[in-house]
Amino acid sequence: MKMQLTSNITQILNHLEKIQPFNPQDSLDGARKYLETMSLQLSGKKEPVTMIEELEIQQENHQIPIRIYRPNGKDVQNSSAIIYIHGGWFIAGGYETHDAVVRKLANKTGSVVIFIDYRLAPEHPFPAGLNDSLDGIKWVIENAESLGIDPDKIGIIGDSAGGALAAAVSTQMGKHLKFQVLIYPAADNQLNSKSWETYENGPVLNKQGGIEAWEGYLPEEEKDNPLAIPVLIKDFKETPPTLIILAEHDPLLDDGKQLSENMKNAGITLTTSLYKDMVHGFMHMGELLEEVQSAVNEMAAFAYQNLDSDRKKAS
């Protein structure tokens, strides 16, 4: 199958090949630098926000760093909030890789965005990242008042590996969440779908890198754990209304479709949105792709709709 790529995407992929050998063999260090460089060079201009605060949530043996983005515009007490769980194959990513996207989301949704800088594999395999995400959200809910957040107006957004984490989080804490958005989620560790076959050498992700990332993330004894592998989730009991954003030329496409199928069959209120011509990670490519803003607008509309549903019922 020949991929028909738009000129913007072709330009981006040519640029990515120059960053360094595409999908480097020194996988860990390479993957981390690659995501940083891609985000830095392709995300475009960063929108100003009112304020960014960095805090550490004290746990028993470690701290969870979080970054709080206050949107542009009037200072709202009792604001709605979005928890953001970042991607990077569970082994990469952090504040800087997702800064541009998170600023856009804060401004467009008018919500405070709380970015959880969870521990990464392979240094900290599953369930470290999941536990940090759960503990981070618990802390936000417990401290909502002092953070100026309405605890009844919280949603969650996760991209790629963060989409896998968010999907798991919402089965555990969904009753506290008004909505979730999963952006091209990494829903399966098998990497054996049709789309993986088509795109095993990219663009952006490759199969070898994916295999290594999952090996570093998932201990042998957890390899059937639905909290690590979202396509295995049977019980979506707490999952709130969900928007799944998929990219056409993405090896993760079919896994994302399978997850949305499973959710639909479980009776979850679901919207699935396919971004034609897009590649994995397109949310980091706002310098050249207007689809980034379209996706942000779609997420914001979805957030409003679900944060407002209570008010509608009341009136």
Side-chain angles (χ1 to χ4, degrees):
M1 170 186 151
K2 182 79 189 82
M3 250 183 293
Q4 287 303 312
L5 298 173
T6 64
S7 59
N8 274 354
I9 292 285
T10 306
Q11 199 181 334
I12 285 168
L13 298 183
N14 291 341
H15 180 80
L16 289 178
E17 293 203 355
K18 289 191 196 91
I19 290 179
Q20 59 183 53
F22 207 42
N23 295 303
Q25 285 317 297
D26 173 18
S27 29
L28 188 58
D29 190 45
R32 288 174 176 171
K33 288 205 176 86
Y34 182 72
L35 183 56
E36 274 163 35
T37 313
M38 175 169 93
S39 312
L40 208 65
Q41 296 183 357
L42 296 175
S43 284
K45 211 156 113 328
K46 291 184 174 183
E47 294 181 12
V49 291
T50 297
M51 180 159 77
I52 295 177
E53 306 149 77
E54 292 185 3
L55 301 173
E56 309 259 331
I57 301 172
Q58 191 54 56
Q59 298 300 103
E60 243 173 61
N61 310 316
H62 73 289
Q63 288 161 329
I64 307 168
I66 63 167
R67 203 184 245 191
I68 301 174
Y69 289 77
R70 308 259 172 196
N72 241 345
K74 53 186 190 304
D75 183 34
V76 193
Q77 276 307 303
N78 226 14
S79 164
S80 54
I82 293 170
I83 309 288
Y84 195 96
I85 315 280
H86 73 83
W89 262 145
F90 309 105
I91 58 172
Y95 289 154
E96 292 317 315
T97 55
H98 285 67
D99 188 46
V101 174
V102 171
R103 286 165 182 262
K104 272 186 168 49
L105 280 167
N107 287 337
K108 191 69 195 181
T109 58
S111 293
V112 172
V113 180
I114 298 159
F115 183 100
I116 298 180
D117 194 13
Y118 60 87
R119 287 169 293 171
L120 297 174
E123 295 90 343
H124 303 282
F126 178 85
L130 177 63
N131 289 341
D132 286 354
S133 303
L134 290 165
D135 291 334
I137 296 172
K138 281 183 195 128
W139 182 88
V140 168
I141 292 166
E142 282 159 14
N143 294 276
E145 197 177 333
S146 62
L147 293 166
I149 286 167
D150 179 343
D152 295 321
K153 293 202 163 175
I154 299 176
I156 189 169
I157 298 180
D159 72 283
S160 199
L165 290 165
V169 162
S170 68
T171 64
Q172 306 298 294
M173 297 191 72
K175 63 172 179 288
H176 300 290
L177 303 169
K178 283 285 175 282
F179 66 88
Q180 85 171 336
V181 180
L182 309 177
I183 307 169
Y184 35 68
D188 196 359
N189 66 332
Q190 295 300 308
L191 277 47
N192 60 5
S193 68
K194 194 87 192 83
S195 57
W196 262 114
E197 201 180 305
T198 306
Y199 302 114
E200 72 175 307
N201 297 313
V204 183
L205 299 179
N206 72 358
K207 191 164 177 174
Q208 189 48 39
I211 289 168
E212 288 171 25
W214 275 103
E215 277 172 359
Y217 174 61
L218 202 57
E220 186 58 29
E221 65 276 11
E222 301 283 6
K223 71 176 187 332
D224 299 318
N225 189 336
L227 291 178
I229 304 156
V231 292
L232 302 179
I233 297 173
K234 292 278 183 284
D235 187 352
F236 289 98
K237 60 179 179 300
E238 289 196 11
T239 298
T242 298
L243 166 64
I244 299 185
I245 288 179
L246 302 170
E248 183 182 16
H249 299 304
D250 182 353
L252 299 184
L253 174 61
D254 289 347
D255 297 339
K257 282 182 176 168
Q258 184 61 59
L259 178 62
S260 59
E261 200 55 33
N262 297 352
M263 284 186 169
K264 208 165 70 194
N265 294 339
I268 301 304
T269 307
L270 180 75
T271 307
T272 304
S273 190
L274 176 66
Y275 277 70
K276 275 192 68 58
D277 300 320
M278 290 298 100
V279 293
H280 191 80
F282 77 88
M283 293 302 297
H284 297 296
M285 301 170 184
E287 175 76 53
L288 284 165
L289 300 177
E290 56 206 32
E291 284 84 355
V292 174
Q293 193 59 51
S294 312
V296 167
N297 296 350
E298 184 176 13
M299 290 187 253
F302 187 77
Y304 279 127
Q305 184 194 329
N306 287 288
L307 291 168
D308 239 16
S309 53
D310 297 357
R311 215 177 299 161
K312 284 197 205 86
K313 280 179 211 141
S315 59

